């Protein structure tokens, strides 16, 4: 299971739960846990962060019915993105 596939499946599960916002802390904690628990794959938070950045830059998410991933402003200093689906 590749990191990209793990991220995409994690995003699909969030969309199914109507959770359309992703914070940088979600990438560093929830996604790391998801990869380990569901797929038996352990990667560092920075590895997932790099892959998350690459996925967004290349817009490699249309195959999972995501139209766009948009950075949004919040009162927090933590980066947050909103997932737009079709």
């Amino acid at each position: 299971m590749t990191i990209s596939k793990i991220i995409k499946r994690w995003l699909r599960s969030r969309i199914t739960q109507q959770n359309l916002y992703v914070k940088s802390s979600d990438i560093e904690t929830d996604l790391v846990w998801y990869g380990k628990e569901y797929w038996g794959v352990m990667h560092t938070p920075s590895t997932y962060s790099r892959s998350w950045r690459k996925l967004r830059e290349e817009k490699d998410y249309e195959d999972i019915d995501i139209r766009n991933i948009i950075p949004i402003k919040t009162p927090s200093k933590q980066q947050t993105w909103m997932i737009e689906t079709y």
Side-chain angles (χ1 to χ4, degrees):
M1 180 65 72
T2 65
I3 295 173
S4 177
K5 286 182 183 179
I6 292 172
I7 292 172
K8 288 179 180 184
R9 291 189 181 196
W10 178 72
L11 288 170
R12 286 297 311 151
S13 71
R14 292 177 70 89
I15 292 167
T16 301
Q17 298 168 9
Q18 297 297 310
N19 186 354
L20 301 178
Y21 295 92
V22 176
K23 299 179 287 189
S24 54
S25 64
D26 295 334
I27 303 296
E28 295 175 0
T29 57
D30 294 346
L31 181 54
V32 174
W33 178 86
Y34 177 84
K36 182 180 176 191
E37 291 297 314
Y38 285 90
W39 302 106
V41 178
M42 187 65 184
H43 292 289
T44 64
S46 61
T47 300
Y48 279 113
S49 292
R50 282 191 302 274
S51 295
W52 168 246
R53 187 177 327 113
K54 181 179 178 185
L55 181 111
R56 291 188 336 266
E57 288 171 356
E58 295 178 355
K59 298 187 183 282
D60 183 27
Y61 42 69
E62 289 187 352
D63 60 325
I64 57 171
D65 296 328
I66 293 177
R67 181 175 28 188
N68 206 357
I69 299 175
I70 303 167
I72 60 170
K73 293 282 187 187
T74 64
S76 171
K77 292 183 180 185
Q78 182 172 207
Q79 180 65 53
T80 303
W81 299 269
M82 183 178 72
I83 300 169
E84 287 185 339
T85 59
Y86 285 104

